[in-house]
Amino acid sequence: MRLARIDAPEMRTNVAYRERQAKHARAVSRKFCPDGSTITITITTAKQNRDQYARYIAEVTYNNTNISDYLIDKGVAKLWKP
């Protein structure tokens, strides 16, 4: 599953600074929505709602805040532009 509308650093990389960016983005996500939190995941099963690797693209909310919007606001992800 991928978060909708964002481009965030990938954890699987051979580039040290990109790995640091990815770990920072993950830390920001975990601080916002700690393990064990109740979240809402909204996906549709339409084919156009999957990425190039057939992963579902989802909107995820926690405490009525969309995590994609939160990550963009914190500067650890960018708005995805196809």
Side-chain angles (χ1 to χ4, degrees):
M1 181 181 75
R2 305 270 309 174
L3 292 174
R5 301 179 293 103
I6 66 168
D7 181 15
E10 298 286 339
M11 292 297 292
R12 294 180 183 169
T13 180
N14 293 330
V15 181
Y17 81 93
R18 294 293 288 168
E19 183 178 348
R20 286 191 303 274
Q21 289 175 328
K23 287 180 179 180
H24 177 64
R26 180 175 60 187
V28 169
S29 299
R30 287 182 172 165
K31 185 174 181 182
F32 168 70
C33 182
D35 287 344
S37 299
T38 300
I39 60 172
T40 301
I41 300 172
T42 305
I43 60 170
T44 61
T45 57
K47 186 174 182 170
Q48 67 269 20
N49 287 331
R50 292 187 181 207
D51 70 3
Q52 65 186 11
Y53 303 106
R55 295 175 292 199
Y56 286 107
I57 301 170
E59 296 284 351
V60 178
T61 57
Y62 172 66
N63 284 344
N64 296 318
T65 301
N66 185 296
I67 194 165
S68 295
D69 295 335
Y70 180 82
L71 294 174
I72 290 168
D73 289 345
K74 292 297 180 184
V76 296
K78 297 177 184 175
L79 187 61
W80 182 73
K81 298 176 186 174

